[in-house]
Amino acid sequence: MAATETAGSEPALAPACVNAVPRLPPGQAEAWVGFLAAHAQVTRRLDAELNARFDLSLSALEVLARLAWADHGRLRMSTVAETALLSQSRVSRLVDSLEERGLVERASCPSDSRGVYASISDAGRELVGRALEWHWEHVNELFFSSLSAAQVSQLGAAWRAILGHSVTAAPDSSAA
Amino acid sequence: MAATETAGSEPALAPACVNAVPRLPPGQAEAWVGFLAAHAQVTRRLDAELNARFDLSLSALEVLARLAWADHGRLRMSTVAETALLSQSRVSRLVDSLEERGLVERASCPSDSRGVYASISDAGRELVGRALEWHWEHVNELFFSSLSAAQVSQLGAAWRAILGHSVTAAPDSSAA
DNA sequence: AAAGATTGAGCGATCAATCTTT
DNA sequence: AAAGATTGATCGCTCAATCTTT
């Protein structure tokens, strides 16, 4: 492991003129790398289990949940995209596949006929109820069970600072 | 839960028998939704800028950085996959494209000829040096500039709790 | 002209299958 | 048989282009 260039008689071992590769100071490195690793670990597990048990991706669950929480169980496509942090095109295709499964339906928007409503069906409500129940259990297990109440509120404060209070956190509660 | 069949004279206002759609309690919702939103916002911006300025994805930067930090500037493909949190196949193709650009080279592994080394070139070192310098600046801007020193160490502690100290955080510092 | 929705093209990533070496 | 690497198939996602309505 090249334990430091101990000087002495250096062979022609030209160190390749290594232009120092910048690093983050250790404290920040833990906060940053941990953030990425925790996100990857937790979301991968949630997504895999959700797929296996309900044949839903995390994004599909998020879309269904937003619809279920909305008045009349429907939202315009573009609203879904904004709140679920997805592109319009992604939402369009996601709704295609949910529609094929009978979980949502498209409906025209009377007040503005460029708009299209996505509307959750009874079957969709039933499924998202079961899926979310399971999902929150595992969010608790994978995320919250390791944290104290104080840590949970610290995290909330950190996110508020990072996201200039443009936090799209659903009418009153949370999402997938 | 249909608020219990209160009997009495229920109007025909069938509430669709909404099987209550579960929600997270508000404090947890902020911590969880904020986590997802902050990750999406920060990584999307970093990735977009990194692509525009250096033609590198976040994952490609991570791979180059791991190689640059490693002894002799090389690591086995499977080691790269583990430390960069990517699948072996993704790393294989990522190295394909970095190799085409002359940023890394593949080399055979003398001790075990099933293995393959990915080895960073001088051009790769030069590029990753510039890219990381820029990258850390923007990680600071988008993430750390909003947080106090205390918050940074709180985050570190939270990730340590969530990732059962299986934190693959580079030899001594951090990664992309 | 601009906004909403959809479609086409292409990248990022994973899984399963294959091939080689141990 | 198992591990390491690669390839093929496929999914998730975004961007740019298109069509419709305002």
Side-chain angles (χ1 to χ4, degrees), chain A residues 103-120:
Chain A
L103 302 172
V104 310
E105 286 146 21
R106 266 182 248 245
S108 56
C109 179
S111 59
D112 179 351
S113 35
R114 336 222 287 266
V116 171
Y117 278 121
S119 165
I120 192 166

Side-chain angles (χ1 to χ4, degrees), chain A residues 59-73:
Chain A
S59 295
L61 178 64
E62 170 112 26
V63 168
L64 286 178
R66 298 286 179 173
L67 295 177
W69 292 326
D71 284 345
H72 306 99

Side-chain angles (χ1 to χ4, degrees), chain A residues 45-163:
Chain A
R45 290 192 192 174
L46 288 172
D47 196 62
E49 294 268 14
L50 211 41
N51 255 287
R53 303 198 187 220
F54 301 99
D55 196 24
L56 288 174
S57 66
L58 221 33
S59 295
L61 178 64
E62 170 112 26
V63 168
L64 286 178
R66 298 286 179 173
L67 295 177
W69 292 326
D71 284 345
H72 306 99
R74 60 180 162 73
L75 290 173
R76 291 177 59 158
M77 302 292 284
S78 56
T79 308
V80 176
E82 283 164 25
T83 62
L85 301 175
L86 292 170
S87 65
Q88 285 193 347
S89 61
R90 185 71 199 119
V91 171
S92 183
R93 281 184 267 241
L94 224 25
V95 168
D96 284 347
S97 84
L98 295 172
E99 204 170 14
E100 280 171 18
R101 294 170 62 183
L103 302 172
V104 310
E105 286 146 21
R106 266 182 248 245
S108 56
C109 179
S111 59
D112 179 351
S113 35
R114 336 222 287 266
V116 171
Y117 278 121
S119 165
I120 192 166
S121 69
D122 288 350
R125 254 183 221 283
E126 191 275 330
L127 180 64
V128 78
R130 282 190 295 127
L132 274 179
E133 187 177 12
W134 183 90
H135 180 63
W136 294 139
E137 266 176 40
H138 287 263
V139 170
N140 266 292
E141 180 185 313
L142 296 173
F143 192 78
F144 291 111
S145 73
S146 316
L147 304 175
S148 68
Q151 283 180 307
V152 172
S153 77
Q154 287 164 4
L155 287 180
W159 310 139
R160 239 173 287 125
I162 287 172
L163 307 158

